[in-house]
Amino acid sequence: MNPIRLFNFPYVVQREIMDSMDLQTIFLLSISSKKMNNLILSVEKARFNKIKYILYDMNLEASIEAVNYNHTSEVILTMDTTMVLGIYKKKKLYISDTLIESKWYTARRTKTAFADEVFESVQKHSYGLFGDNKECKLDINIYAYGFRLPKLKNVSGSNIHIVPSVDGKTLNDYFSASPNQDFINLFGVKPGKLKINSKLYGINCIHTFDGKSQIVPNLLRKFAGKHAFMITLKLDHRDVIQFLKKWKSNELFEKLEILQVTLRDNSDSEPMNPVEIRNAIAIKTLSESVNSPVYNCKTSFGIRRSAS
């Protein structure tokens, strides 16, 4: 069977052929040559304009998804932790005979992948297709030591869950590329090297589980966003008092709309003393006859959805 010489066809025929292909195939073809990339850009620009954001996902497998405006998604590249790139269940971009040495390691696997470099390379290539201002989201949920978060641009939201933990320097490097994120869900942080003026503190909405009770005190001192939902095992009443005093005096937290701190049972920690907190900041109890004001706002619950 002779190959189809796509460039010999008129533009109308080229467009019909391209329109019949799925996004995975289009993306793969765009890598083949600069000439093909330019053709795809001219023919498929309308399709690319429908993409709402690019999701960089690394859980059991690594994938990059283009999510369009009606919230359906198409995966344009897949990579599993056994190093074999291939198809699984949903539509994927299939790349055969590709092996990648990795810098991130798991306790059970010796073969690894340059996931961060792959993500960065794909984003760099996608600039010529989707534009260099296309919104991105990052979802990382892995067990690894020394994993470097990819330096992606235009990230609007992140879910970062790295076991056993992610250190402050790694987060500083990550936010240097995308400092103006709207949402982050963060699990397990060693804030020792987190900068005093870290962009993390300015994110609009933060969800965090602080198992070692290290980052919540920092957020109570420095958070400059709108919404913070924090779970911790230990909380010093002095941190709460300091936060409430600065908030009441308008010294800090000018943008703050919602702050929720959930203190989980921990037999090793000293219980909170609400009476001491009330006495320190002179909290007044409203009469039952007074109708408390009701404030409605819109917040985020994850990188894929939000709610009012």
Side-chain angles (χ1 to χ4, degrees):
M1 183 177 178
N2 295 326
I4 298 176
R5 300 186 181 279
L6 185 61
F7 291 104
N8 291 342
F9 291 113
Y11 178 81
V12 175
V13 177
Q14 291 175 341
R15 185 176 62 189
E16 288 296 322
I17 294 174
M18 293 287 184
D19 287 345
S20 68
M21 297 178 182
D22 58 28
L23 186 59
Q24 302 92 311
T25 305
I26 292 292
F27 188 82
L28 180 58
L29 282 174
S30 73
I31 301 174
S32 61
S33 71
K34 186 175 181 179
K35 185 177 181 181
M36 178 61 74
N37 186 86
N38 291 337
L39 174 62
I40 289 173
L41 182 60
S42 64
V43 172
E44 295 298 316
K45 188 173 182 180
R47 188 197 298 204
F48 298 154
N49 287 340
K50 294 179 181 179
I51 296 173
K52 184 176 182 180
Y53 64 85
I54 307 297
L55 175 63
Y56 294 81
D57 189 340
M58 188 167 185
N59 289 274
L60 295 177
E61 296 180 325
S63 65
I64 301 172
E65 304 176 14
V67 183
N68 63 27
Y69 279 103
N70 60 9
H71 301 291
T72 61
S73 63
E74 298 180 68
V75 178
I76 58 177
L77 185 146
T78 65
M79 176 181 67
D80 65 23
T81 51
T82 63
M83 306 309 93
V84 180
L85 305 190
I87 298 176
Y88 66 92
K89 292 185 179 179
K90 294 183 179 181
K91 293 187 288 184
K92 308 287 181 181
L93 176 124
Y94 182 79
I95 303 177
S96 61
D97 301 323
T98 302
L99 301 177
I100 302 176
E101 290 292 331
S102 173
K103 288 182 178 178
W104 71 271
Y105 295 84
T106 67
R108 298 180 181 178
R109 299 180 178 89
T110 56
K111 291 184 177 181
T112 53
F114 286 107
D116 49 356
E117 287 92 341
V118 170
F119 284 179
E120 291 168 3
S121 296
V122 170
Q123 184 180 66
K124 185 176 181 180
H125 174 73
S126 71
Y127 289 162
L129 289 177
F130 310 138
D132 59 4
N133 61 348
K134 184 67 69 176
E135 179 185 348
C136 300
K137 299 185 181 184
L138 178 69
D139 188 355
I140 300 286
N141 190 349
I142 60 172
Y143 183 95
Y145 287 91
F147 179 75
R148 183 180 75 86
L149 289 169
K151 292 184 178 180
L152 301 174
K153 297 181 179 180
N154 303 318
V155 177
S156 62
S158 305
N159 175 50
I160 300 176
H161 184 171
I162 300 177
V163 179
S165 64
V166 55
D167 62 78
K169 183 179 184 305
T170 299
L171 288 175
N172 289 332
D173 293 341
Y174 172 63
F175 287 116
S176 67
S178 287
N180 300 315
Q181 298 190 39
D182 185 64
F183 173 87
I184 186 169
N185 183 23
L186 195 57
F187 181 94
V189 182
K190 286 198 268 184
K193 295 183 180 179
L194 201 60
K195 293 180 179 178
I196 296 177
N197 59 346
S198 173
K199 298 296 183 180
L200 170 66
Y201 300 126
I203 290 177
N204 230 13
C205 181
I206 291 180
H207 287 236
T208 181
F209 175 75
D210 185 19
K212 295 185 179 181
S213 307
Q214 294 180 322
I215 195 170
V216 167
N218 287 346
L219 287 169
L220 287 176
R221 299 185 193 107
K222 305 171 186 176
F223 184 60
K226 291 184 177 180
H227 310 133
F229 302 87
M230 301 177 279
I231 301 174
T232 185
L233 299 180
K234 183 179 180 181
L235 188 62
D236 194 309
H237 69 275
R238 287 168 294 189
D239 291 324
V240 177
I241 292 171
Q242 182 186 50
F243 161 78
L244 290 172
K245 285 183 175 180
K246 290 185 177 181
W247 175 60
K248 287 183 64 179
S249 65
N250 293 321
E251 183 179 346
L252 292 174
F253 316 112
E254 295 91 345
K255 297 180 181 179
L256 186 63
E257 296 176 350
I258 300 174
L259 174 68
Q260 178 180 316
V261 182
T262 302
L263 187 61
R264 289 201 170 170
D265 292 337
N266 182 6
S267 58
D268 296 329
S269 65
E270 183 180 346
M272 295 285 292
N273 188 342
V275 175
E276 189 170 354
I277 294 174
R278 283 199 299 266
N279 292 338
I281 58 173
I283 294 178
K284 296 180 180 179
T285 302
L286 289 176
S287 170
E288 294 181 359
S289 61
V290 177
N291 292 325
S292 301
V294 176
Y295 177 73
N296 296 315
C297 66
K298 186 175 182 180
T299 187
S300 298
F301 292 105
I303 61 174
R304 305 181 195 227
R305 64 191 182 96
S306 62
S308 298

